[in-house]
Amino acid sequence: MAIYMFALAGATAFAPGQTLLAHQRSPISRAAVTMEADVKPVVIGLAADSGCGKSTFMRRMTGIFGGESKLLDIGRETNTLVSDMTTVICLDDYHKWDRTGRKSNPEWPNGITALHADCQLWDKMAEDVTNLKAGKAVDKPIYNHITGELDPDEHVEPTPIVIFEGLHPMYDDRVNEALDLTIYLDITDNVKFAWKLQRDMAERGATFEDVQKAIEGRKPDFKEFVEPQKQKADIIIQALSSH
């Protein structure tokens, strides 16, 4: 499997909330990616650590494929982004436990991180990826990032392009085999810390110490369960600090 490396000069290249650098390719016209009605969806997987700009990167990618991305209109909190051509599903929605449950539960009384393989609903994830790839609608779970709770399911219809972004799109063989293209965002530690600090302090009320503690506590599980996916990726995009 070929791996293509792209180095991005500067930590702000895919920083959450920031504009992509000027050297990015011009957007592809919508006509260039129009698909025949009987063609099954193309499924893309994007893997990266938490707070590494996956959602921001996906908004830019949906713009390339056509149409402005927006949250799925279900009348309540959702992580699913949709546009004319694409649906972007956040794999955080397949966490087995809510935020409280990850701190302690009967299986893991001392707690478990969201990066651990045992914290994912693999069977449901594989079922939904397979059905969407086959052009079938799914009723999928929702992880509420605001409350930390697992909300009621949402109904998602297939689109010509379906993107699964999160911590583990390539970890489970069933899910990985359903992906037509895989991308890994490879972020250096100093850039990752800066981005996660910016996001968690602005959006989740975290302190500097909270972010630092969270990153250090998750490192072992990142090394074991997330980073190895880099070896499976078709494309690796690196974000390197320019100083």
Side-chain angles (χ1 to χ4, degrees):
M1 182 180 296
I3 298 178
Y4 302 92
M5 309 292 288
F6 297 92
L8 301 175
T12 60
F14 290 123
Q18 299 295 319
T19 303
L20 291 180
L21 296 182
H23 65 261
Q24 297 298 311
R25 292 182 179 178
S26 300
I28 301 172
S29 67
R30 183 174 175 183
V33 292
T34 300
M35 301 173 63
E36 297 296 331
D38 59 346
V39 175
K40 300 300 182 185
V42 173
V43 183
I44 299 172
L46 174 79
D49 196 4
S50 175
C52 285
K54 297 183 296 295
S55 297
T56 300
F57 181 77
M58 285 298 95
R59 286 184 175 90
R60 304 301 189 267
M61 182 173 283
T62 57
I64 291 174
F65 292 134
E68 180 182 358
S69 65
K70 59 183 179 180
L71 290 172
L72 183 65
D73 185 8
I74 61 171
R76 53 189 171 91
E77 190 70 21
T78 179
N79 301 311
T80 302
L81 288 170
V82 294
S83 71
D84 295 340
M85 291 291 294
T86 62
T87 297
V88 181
I89 292 177
C90 175
L91 293 183
D92 287 358
D93 288 337
Y94 296 88
H95 288 339
K96 188 174 182 180
W97 293 283
D98 62 15
R99 190 175 296 155
T100 300
R102 292 199 301 274
K103 293 179 180 178
S104 181
N105 63 73
E107 293 183 43
W108 294 82
N110 295 322
I112 183 173
T113 77
L115 286 75
H116 199 290
D118 289 346
C119 194
Q120 318 307 321
L121 298 172
W122 295 116
D123 290 345
K124 178 58 175 169
M125 189 188 301
E127 177 187 353
D128 289 352
V129 172
T130 301
N131 282 334
L132 285 168
K133 185 178 178 68
K136 301 176 183 178
V138 301
D139 292 315
K140 56 168 291 297
I142 299 175
Y143 174 73
N144 191 318
H145 286 102
I146 297 176
T147 65
E149 297 176 351
L150 303 177
D151 287 352
D153 288 1
E154 64 181 348
H155 185 76
V156 176
E157 295 283 344
T159 49
I161 300 168
V162 180
I163 303 171
F164 287 86
E165 61 94 355
L167 297 167
H168 308 96
M170 294 170 258
Y171 184 87
D172 184 270
D173 288 341
R174 296 166 298 175
V175 177
N176 187 46
E177 289 172 5
L179 302 176
D180 298 299
L181 176 68
T182 53
I183 304 169
Y184 185 91
L185 294 185
D186 188 18
I187 315 298
T188 58
D189 286 345
N190 59 332
V191 174
K192 185 187 303 183
F193 179 78
W195 289 0
K196 186 170 177 61
L197 183 67
Q198 174 185 329
R199 185 198 68 178
D200 287 5
M201 290 183 69
E203 299 179 11
R204 303 180 184 179
T207 65
F208 181 94
E209 291 75 18
D210 291 336
V211 175
Q212 191 171 40
K213 182 179 179 180
I215 289 178
E216 290 300 320
R218 293 156 64 102
K219 274 186 177 179
D221 285 349
F222 169 74
K223 292 290 185 182
E224 183 173 357
F225 302 112
V226 178
E227 191 173 40
Q229 295 173 102
K230 181 164 59 174
Q231 305 305 316
K232 300 180 180 180
D234 299 311
I235 298 173
I236 299 173
I237 299 177
Q238 288 188 324
L240 307 174
S241 177
S242 58
H243 50 273

